[in-house]
Amino acid sequence: MELSCSRTVESHEKGNGSSPFEVQMCQSILPCHANHQGELSAGQLLKWMDTIACLAAERHAGMACVTVSMDDIQFEETVRAFNTSMEVGINVNVQEVLSGEMKRVCVAFSTFVAKPKGTQKVSLRPLDHETVEDMLEHSLASERRRLRLHNEQAFKNLMKDYYNLQDKGLYNKKAQAPTVSTEVTRVESIELVLPPHANHHGNTFGGQIMAWMENVATTYCAFHLVLSVCSSRLCGHYVSLGAVDMFRFRGPSTIGDRLVFKAMVNNAFQTCVEVGVRVEAYNCEEWNKGKPRHINSASMIYYMPDSSGQKQTFPDVSYTTSDGERRFLGAIVRKRIRMARKHILYSRDEGPISVPWDKNNQVYLGYNNIAALTVLAGKQGWEDSNFHDKVGVFVHEEAERLFLRVDMEVKTTAFHAFSLLADLCLRPHWDKNYLSCEEVEKADEEERIYHVKCVTVNGSKNRDFVFLLSKRQPCKDGEPYVIALRSITVASIPPEDDCIRSEAKCAGFLVHQSSFSTCQVSYYNQVTSGVLPYIEGNLAGWSKSMEETAMACISFLERDVLTTQF
């Protein structure tokens, strides 16, 4: 089968009246580009991607450019210019010559800066955006840049959280058998930079370095981990590179440098494994003195498909050193940041979520409301994201859906907490996101309709929701009190011009009696695009607003005076 691989990078410059242009490369996949399985080598693909992205960046800047990072590599097409850096989007499509069918195999975003002649950064000319699509692409690029700038501090914050989780016994290095020690996957590889490995600026091709990194990670670390489990199963599966995360070019290397690649499995997550790769460069003098330059780092995510393409399960891993512990927890944090970035950047409009309110269909709507929350609460595989004495925050991802859970330990009776939480008009007293809440209709003692207005986020308008609240008391001991919320459509509450009408699919509280005077309150939410702006800071690690709101809820529930009647 003959294939062609093309990457298209377009830069729209309409301020001067010029027509849009594109930089495009087309490559035929030859045997020398394939791996041992006859497939296009991921390393070769990374070489081509770096080359075409660099050419696109230089076309816009009008001078030599260097890569600083490559983010969101997933195995479109516009240059987005900021003040001193630019983002180049890369699409990789494979086309079968006979059928002409095109299939996207990779998307990535590279960040470039113009190569200065002195020490001053080079300012780039801005791009004009006349179409809605141009504005959307630039907005997404700005959001990706904002997330990158937050990454370092967010990573530090989340690492503290996960060390705290481990101290409380919520993350234990003694995984269930079979386990593989990450220490046995540690390997090194050395490459000598020769003239064919250097670009037109005299520096080592960024793509060549990426190819070498992919080779050492695939051939040694991930493959070693696979062999450890496959040998016991008497089967053989090869690993495939699924994504590259946090790829950073920290410094250049030149012809004659010795590049030392250090790779090691950091952690395994069910159907994927993270391999960390560090690149150190030595010139002749540095090689003699043993003083390296750290020039690159990346985390590579692998999966193990079977013959039908289904992802296989990796073995659990453990660690035996403090460095192994740091890598183990760091992989968990990076996975959390990847999850947050995916949902923040690529959340889509789910379409209509609200159901029309019909008094005659009240029993059915109330039942579905309660049942949806009960099913959500019963999901398995919740991951701890933060925890302290009174509040625990958990996330769960299922396909393209994200679920949130907040557990609160409250020193009051379950009925008292239920009574206060079931009156949504009281929520503005403890939830700072609620501006106001008005009861629109009291269908009966168990179903009520509320109109909620919430604060503005990210400089947009205020948001409002129309909720059906369904509450149920337990039928027998051991069952929880249930308060379920979902969005509905009510003709008497049309969308308002000064608010963005938003929707929630499933949310609410379960209240369990822990002892005579204490209870556990668990809040659940199936995250929608309307809810996401209020929790994205927590997901990405730069905010503690959910924990702060939970503590305010606990303080409110622990007050002595019951302020509502039922």
Side-chain angles (χ1 to χ4, degrees), residues 190 256-260 281-293:
I190 300 177
D257 278 350
R258 285 81 169 162
L259 302 187
V260 177
Y282 300 80
N283 59 28
C284 288
E285 183 179 354
E286 292 165 340
W287 187 254
N288 185 48
K289 294 181 179 179
K291 294 182 177 180
R293 308 188 313 274

Side-chain angles (χ1 to χ4, degrees), residues 63-64 66 113-122:
M63 62 182 68
V66 293
V113 295
K115 190 175 182 180
K117 294 182 179 179
T119 58
Q120 294 294 324
K121 292 183 178 180
V122 177

Side-chain angles (χ1 to χ4, degrees), residues 347-358:
S347 63
R348 296 179 175 87
D349 185 1
E350 306 89 348
I353 293 176
S354 297
V355 295
W357 168 250
D358 183 355

Side-chain angles (χ1 to χ4, degrees), residues 8 18 49 106 110 123 170 210 214-215 217 246 252 264 298 327 338 344 370 380 429 439 461 466 483 526 534 542 556:
T8 303
S18 62
M49 290 167 63
C106 185
S110 285
S123 296
L170 297 175
M210 287 191 285
E214 188 272 337
N215 183 65
M246 299 183 76
M264 178 180 174
R327 288 172 172 268
R338 286 195 300 274
I344 291 171
I370 295 292
Q380 302 297 313
H429 291 289
E439 182 180 313
K461 298 179 181 178
V466 180
I483 305 165
Q526 180 176 333
Y534 296 100
W542 67 70
F556 178 76

Side-chain angles (χ1 to χ4, degrees), residues 21-42:
F21 64 87
E22 68 178 23
V23 178
Q24 188 177 68
M25 178 186 292
C26 202
Q27 295 284 351
S28 294
I29 301 175
L30 303 176
C32 61
H33 302 141
N35 59 21
H36 57 288
Q37 295 177 269
E39 300 172 345
L40 172 63
S41 165

Side-chain angles (χ1 to χ4, degrees), residues 254-279:
T254 57
I255 296 172
D257 278 350
R258 285 81 169 162
L259 302 187
V260 177
F261 297 82
K262 299 179 178 181
M264 178 180 174
V265 170
N266 293 332
N267 207 337
F269 306 99
Q270 293 294 315
T271 58
C272 69
V273 64
E274 181 188 290
V275 179
V277 185
R278 175 187 174 97
V279 186

Side-chain angles (χ1 to χ4, degrees), residues 8 51 84 158 189 191 223 233 277 295 356 366 371 392 435 467 479 484 521:
T8 303
T51 300
T84 59
L158 289 174
S189 177
E191 299 287 350
F223 190 64
R233 295 178 179 173
V277 185
I295 63 169
L435 284 176
F467 286 134
E479 291 185 349
V521 176

